[in-house]
Amino acid sequence: MRCDELAPLIEAIADGTIEPSPEDRAHVSSCPTCSARLAAARRIEEWLSAREVAQPAAGFTAAVMARIGDETWKTERVVDIGFNLFIAAGVLVFMAFGAGLAWSLGFLTVTLDTEQLLRAVFAQVEGRVISQLQTTAIAAVVLTMALALWWWAEEATD
Ligand SMILES: [Zn+2]
C-alpha cells in the first residue's frame, strides 16, 4: 500500500522537485522495492542532467522573433489594404448613388454650371454629347474623391 502511494512521487523526489516526508524517508530506507525505484530514478536524473543540451545557434531566437514579427506585419498590411479598398469601394458606390440622386433631382449646381459653360462653348454640339461629357465629369470627380479618400485612409493607418 505504502509502495503504491510512493511510486508516483519517486521521480519528483529523485529530481528534488518535492521533499519526501519523514514517513516516506523511513519507508524508502526500509523497503527494498522503493529504495531500488528511487536509486534508479536518481541514476536517470543524473544521466539526464549530465547530457549536453543542444544550444541554438547565436541569434536564433532573435531571427525567429523577427520572422514572426515580419509575417504578422505582412498579414496586418494585407488586412489594412483590403479594408481600405473595401471602404473606398463602399464610398465610391455611396457617392455614385448620391451624385446620381443629386443629378436626377437637379441639385448638382456645379455640374449645372458646367452644363451652362459647355452649352456656351459648344453651342452647335448635340445635347446628347454634352450629357455624355457631364457623365464623364461626374465619374472623374467621384473617382478622384474615392482615390483621395483611399490615400487618406492609407496615411491614417500608417
Ligand atoms: Zn515500498
Side-chain angles (χ1 to χ4, degrees), residues 22-83:
E23 294 81 27
D24 291 339
R25 247 188 260 273
H27 174 80
V28 168
S29 58
S30 63
C31 170
T33 308
C34 288
S35 61
R37 278 179 184 164
L38 186 59
R42 284 202 168 125
R43 276 199 305 278
I44 291 169
E45 180 61 27
E46 275 169 32
W47 181 73
L48 285 175
S49 57
R51 274 172 62 90
E52 271 184 44
V53 177
Q55 291 295 321
F60 174 79
T61 305
V64 168
M65 293 314 289
R67 178 75 181 271
I68 290 169
D70 198 40
E71 295 288 328
T72 308
W73 184 83
K74 276 180 191 165
T75 308
E76 282 174 358
R77 187 82 182 155
V78 167
V79 170
D80 279 350
I81 291 171
F83 179 75

